[in-house]
Amino acid sequence: MIDADFLPCFGFRFLSNGLGDTMIKGTLTCAALLSALTLAACTSSDTIRTSANTAIVRTSAAPVCGGMGAARVAQQQAAIETIRAGFDRYMIVDMASANNVQVVQGPGTYRHSGTYNRGFYSGTTTYQPGMPMVYGRHEQAFAIYMFRNGEPGAHQAVPAREVLGDKWQELVQAGRVNTCM
């Protein structure tokens, strides 16, 4: 297992800015590995308690996660915060999302070759486009209302432990979700 705190969250900029053109050629397996590692660690969340039974959960996710990945992480983070606050269920009462992900074509390279024969020159110039650079984040925010089992309205709320699944205790102990997978 990779320690998520160790990996930097650069999205795909890490792939295109960190390596030179000569190193990228023929290294698709390395690029695939790096993008998988990037996916594994590039989410962050924070929670603001607004009252004894309400909170705002904000999540930011790498471009590769997409908007739904950010929403899944926010949902899991809301469940974690619900349990940590001593509640059993939560209801999302408001939400907001943002997407500022952009793709920019990186600079390319030109190669020129030619021959000179009997006073004539014949040349060819080839343009190799640069790697696309993806940057930005998917943002998600949920306002949640938390319930204890048996309270009025709790039957309509989402069970926090069900959202987290069988390993809910480990996730609550860690206090955060690091991956959008």
Side-chain angles (χ1 to χ4, degrees):
M1 178 87 184
I2 298 166
D3 182 5
D5 293 331
F6 174 75
L7 293 174
C9 292
F10 297 118
F12 282 107
R13 272 193 291 181
F14 181 77
L15 294 176
S16 58
N17 287 344
L19 303 172
D21 286 346
T22 57
M23 297 175 80
I24 289 175
K25 292 178 184 169
T27 59
L28 290 177
T29 55
C30 179
L33 174 64
L34 287 175
S35 68
L37 293 176
T38 301
L39 174 64
C42 288
T43 65
S44 64
S45 296
D46 58 32
T47 302
I48 302 164
R49 293 289 300 271
T50 53
S51 75
N53 62 347
T54 62
I56 297 171
V57 176
R58 297 181 324 159
T59 297
S60 179
V64 70
C65 292
M68 288 304 295
R72 266 192 304 278
V73 171
Q75 179 185 29
Q76 291 178 338
Q77 195 66 42
I80 289 169
E81 295 302 329
T82 298
I83 295 169
R84 291 179 86 187
F87 293 89
D88 302 300
R89 298 169 171 265
Y90 69 94
M91 184 180 296
I92 298 170
V93 294
D94 199 5
M95 60 85 57
S97 64
N99 170 5
N100 64 5
V101 175
Q102 297 181 9
V103 179
V104 177
Q105 182 68 44
T109 58
Y110 291 93
R111 292 190 182 220
H112 185 78
S113 61
T115 59
Y116 181 78
N117 188 10
R118 296 184 183 167
F120 292 99
Y121 178 78
S122 175
T124 302
T125 301
T126 305
Y127 174 71
Q128 177 68 39
M131 295 289 293
M133 295 178 282
V134 179
Y135 62 94
R137 307 286 287 174
H138 290 279
E139 310 288 336
Q140 184 72 52
F142 290 158
I144 62 170
Y145 190 94
M146 298 174 281
F147 298 89
R148 289 185 179 88
N149 287 330
E151 288 182 341
H155 67 282
Q156 293 179 331
V158 177
R161 286 171 184 80
E162 276 185 30
V163 169
L164 297 174
D166 294 336
K167 296 186 179 189
W168 69 268
Q169 292 167 320
E170 294 172 28
L171 290 169
V172 171
Q173 184 175 2
R176 63 182 177 198
V177 179
N178 292 323
T179 180
C180 58
M181 296 181 11

